[in-house]
């Protein structure tokens, strides 16, 4: 850790957390713009020091308020929770008391995604830019803006070359290093930054100098989610497909490895990959969760998880959580035949826009953070997979499939 970093960060190095937050459906957006009425009786307190008993079902722990617009993304950085909203504000709170530590990012465009690596934070914005923040010595401005992607150096190296321009819309061209629409998702892996956009492209940036290395015309509609697993990049789109990308050579360009087909004319809004990298889960605008085997690129199950659109997902071990426009969070356990429903977490007064899981265990379970259009963040405790059998019989929904994984 750099000695210039403040003491409160030294004990907790930044975790590499990717978030996928903003979705766009086929021929439109799946993000409701209107906020529901505010809940004036909402509580705000820290995470209890004594966790719930390990035999309990998923339960709420705390509510965080303060954002002036809908919460769009959440990331965890050591002892900090970082959250962003459509109101251009990025808030940093300390755990476990959840007190506001600082704010940054005002006036630089609605934030759609966050990713952290080392002492850097990358934010993706509606204005088609990626901004890079670094921990500063100055405690009054602890998160300092250090660059914007594409960088000025990248611009200077491309803008005079006719070959650097591509057709983005009718009668309009732009540099290939620029996104032409909202950047909806980010991921970082092995020295590279991946950005996905509503302009249907994936761009790859080098972490060491922020240079744009590659642009992929990846989908036929907006890209809603990106994740990297075992060296394979997965992109989910409003065109109803998840595509897998990989490198033939270590320093070569990315090529298409496989296509995972979803439901016809249904946007895939969110996506996660199992820890061992064998199963891809996609959440659709029709409320279904679909699962594909990476080995063979075949769909092996589907379940109607919600009656309305799934906007976000997160996974830890055997547990999958799904956030929906219906204001609920479904809790699922991987089963032999697909998924088994083990709980539903209710409390938000608006659609669930983002979910983030804590990497640490607490009291036989783990924490899940949810952000909503109701402008709040809620903290939930979810038991580990080994603890859920006691209440499976109460709310079980086993998915039939002819294949197991």
């Amino acid at each position: 850790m750099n000695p210039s970093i403040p003491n409160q960060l030294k004990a907790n190095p930044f975790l590499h957390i990717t978030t996928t937050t903003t979705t766009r459906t086929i021929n439109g957006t799946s993000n409701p713009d209107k906020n529901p009425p505010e809940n004036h009786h909402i509580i705000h307190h820290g995470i209890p020091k004594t966790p719930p008993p390990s035999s309990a079902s998923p339960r709420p722990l705390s509510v965080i308020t303060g954002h002036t617009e809908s919460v769009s993304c959440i990331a965890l950085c050591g002892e900090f929770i970082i959250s962003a909203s459509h109101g251009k504000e990025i808030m940093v709170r300390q755990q476990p008391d959840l007190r506001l530590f600082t704010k940054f990012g005002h006036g630089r465009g609605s934030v759609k995604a966050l990713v952290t690596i080392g002492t850097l934070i990358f934010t993706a914005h509606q204005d088609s830019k990626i901004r890079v923040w670094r921990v500063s010595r100055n405690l009054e401005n602890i998160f300092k803006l250090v660059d914007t992607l594409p960088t000025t150096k990248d611009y200077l190296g491309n803008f005079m070359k006719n070959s650097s321009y591509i057709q983005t819309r009718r009668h309009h061209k732009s540099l290939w290093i620029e996104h032409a629409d909202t950047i909806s998702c980010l991921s970082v892996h092995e020295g590279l930054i991946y950005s996905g956009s509503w302009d249907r492209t994936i761009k790859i940036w080098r972490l060491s100098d922020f240079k744009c290395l590659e642009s992929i015309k990846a989908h036929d509609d907006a890209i809603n989610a990106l994740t990297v697993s075992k060296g394979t990049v997965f992109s989910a789109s409003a065109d109803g497909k998840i595509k897998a990308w990989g490198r033939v050579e270590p320093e070569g360009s990315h090529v298409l490895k496989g296509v995972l087909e979803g439901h016809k004319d249904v946007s895939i809004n969110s996506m996660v990959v199992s820890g061992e990298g064998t199963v891809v889960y996609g959440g659709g605008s029709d409320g279904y969760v679909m699962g594909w085997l990476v080995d063979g690129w075949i769909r092996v199950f589907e379940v109607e998880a919600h009656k309305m659109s799934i906007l976000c997902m997160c996974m830890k071990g055997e547990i999958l959580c799904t956030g929906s426009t219906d204001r609920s969070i479904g809790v699922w356990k991987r089963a032999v035949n697909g998924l088994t429903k083990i709980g539903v977490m209710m409390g938000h007064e608006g659609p669930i826009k983002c979910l983030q899981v804590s990497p640490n265990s607490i009291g036989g379970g783990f924490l899940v953070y949810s952000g909503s259009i109701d402008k709040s963040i809620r903290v939930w405790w979810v038991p580990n997979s080994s603890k859920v059998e006691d209440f499976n019989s109460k709310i079980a929904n086993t998915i039939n499939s002819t294949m197991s994984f």
Side-chain angles (χ1 to χ4, degrees):
M1 179 72 72
N2 190 320
S4 67
I5 297 174
N7 290 332
Q8 60 264 51
L9 292 180
K10 291 182 179 178
N12 293 280
F14 278 23
L15 302 170
H16 174 200
I17 305 293
T18 60
T19 63
T20 305
T21 59
T22 306
T23 58
R24 195 174 186 179
T25 59
I26 296 173
N27 297 324
T29 176
S30 65
N31 300 326
D33 291 325
K34 294 183 179 180
N35 293 313
E38 290 190 49
N39 181 1
H40 296 288
H41 303 288
I42 208 161
I43 59 173
H44 175 199
H45 51 78
I47 300 171
K49 293 183 179 180
T50 303
S54 59
S55 60
S57 60
R59 63 179 61 188
L61 295 183
S62 186
V63 181
I64 305 171
T65 59
H67 281 292
T68 58
E69 299 292 341
S70 61
V71 179
S72 57
C73 46
I74 302 170
L76 305 180
C77 294
E79 66 183 277
F80 294 109
I81 303 171
I82 301 180
S83 59
S85 80
H86 291 303
K88 306 177 184 179
E89 59 201 359
I90 303 172
M91 292 188 172
V92 182
R93 296 182 180 273
Q94 286 183 299
Q95 299 189 79
D97 58 14
L98 304 178
R99 284 186 294 182
L100 182 65
F101 181 76
T102 188
K103 298 180 183 180
F104 66 99
H106 298 284
R108 292 189 172 95
S110 178
V111 183
K112 301 300 183 182
L114 283 167
V115 63
T116 71
I117 181 70
T119 59
L120 296 176
I121 298 173
F122 297 87
T123 56
H125 296 254
Q126 190 172 6
D127 64 6
S128 310
K129 304 294 184 183
I130 299 170
R131 291 180 172 85
V132 187
W133 311 81
R134 190 188 299 275
V135 176
S136 170
R137 289 184 183 182
N138 183 356
L139 289 177
E140 295 179 358
N141 185 23
I142 190 170
F143 297 97
K144 182 180 180 181
L145 180 66
V146 295
D147 222 328
T148 300
L149 309 187
T151 63
T152 301
K153 184 177 180 180
D154 238 356
Y155 271 115
L156 294 176
N158 283 277
F159 85 101
M160 291 294 290
K161 302 175 183 177
N162 288 332
S163 59
S164 295
Y165 290 83
I166 59 174
Q167 194 81 32
T168 55
R169 294 185 297 273
R170 188 178 181 183
H171 306 308
H172 184 79
K173 291 184 178 182
S174 63
L175 292 174
W176 69 270
I177 61 174
E178 298 178 279
H179 278 298
D181 206 337
T182 296
I183 302 174
S184 56
C185 43
L186 293 170
S187 189
V188 178
H189 181 72
E190 293 186 348
L192 298 176
I193 309 160
Y194 297 88
S195 59
S197 170
W198 289 354
D199 68 10
R200 310 177 184 185
T201 70
I202 299 171
K203 297 193 188 296
I204 297 98
W205 317 76
R206 191 162 55 203
L207 185 59
S208 60
D209 60 1
F210 307 143
K211 179 181 176 61
C212 189
L213 302 178
E214 190 179 353
S215 181
I216 304 171
K217 176 62 173 67
H219 287 273
D220 296 326
D221 209 328
I223 297 172
N224 292 325
L226 276 178
T227 190
V228 185
S229 175
K230 308 297 182 181
T232 299
V233 182
F234 295 90
S235 57
S237 170
D239 64 12
K241 297 180 177 68
I242 294 175
K243 293 186 178 182
W245 310 87
R247 282 174 155 180
V248 177
E249 300 176 0
E251 301 298 325
S253 299
H254 290 74
V255 297
L256 184 64
K257 295 175 62 177
V259 179
L260 312 179
E261 296 279 353
H263 293 164
K264 184 178 180 181
D265 297 329
V266 172
S267 171
I268 299 180
N269 298 332
S270 56
M271 167 187 56
V272 293
V273 181
S274 61
E276 70 280 9
T278 59
V279 184
V280 180
Y281 299 85
S285 58
D286 59 356
Y288 275 79
V289 173
M290 292 162 279
W292 296 263
L293 286 179
V294 172
D295 184 11
W297 313 112
I298 54 174
R299 192 169 75 210
V300 292
F301 79 90
E302 61 181 57
V303 55
E304 188 178 10
H306 297 269
K307 295 297 183 182
M308 301 177 73
S309 178
I310 297 172
L311 300 180
C312 51
M313 298 194 296
C314 68
M315 192 171 197
K316 183 174 176 64
E318 300 294 305
I319 302 297
L320 173 72
C321 296
T322 56
S324 172
T325 304
D326 67 11
R327 308 181 182 187
S328 73
I329 302 169
V331 185
W332 309 80
K333 180 187 176 184
R334 290 180 62 178
V336 173
N337 294 322
L339 293 172
T340 297
K341 191 172 186 179
I342 59 174
V344 178
M345 299 188 293
M346 302 287 294
H348 278 294
E349 295 194 348
I352 315 298
K353 290 295 301 296
C354 51
L355 291 171
Q356 184 59 267
V357 62
S358 170
N360 302 318
S361 296
I362 175 171
F366 56 91
L367 301 181
V368 172
Y369 303 83
S370 59
S372 170
I373 282 183
D374 67 12
K375 309 175 188 177
S376 75
I377 297 168
R378 289 179 179 258
V379 187
W380 314 83
W381 179 84
V382 179
N384 289 326
S385 58
S386 60
K387 304 296 182 181
V388 301
E389 302 297 339
D390 293 341
F391 57 93
N392 269 0
S393 58
K394 297 180 182 179
I395 42 177
N397 182 19
T398 303
I399 314 309
N400 293 322
S401 175
T402 57
M403 301 188 66
S404 62
F405 50 92

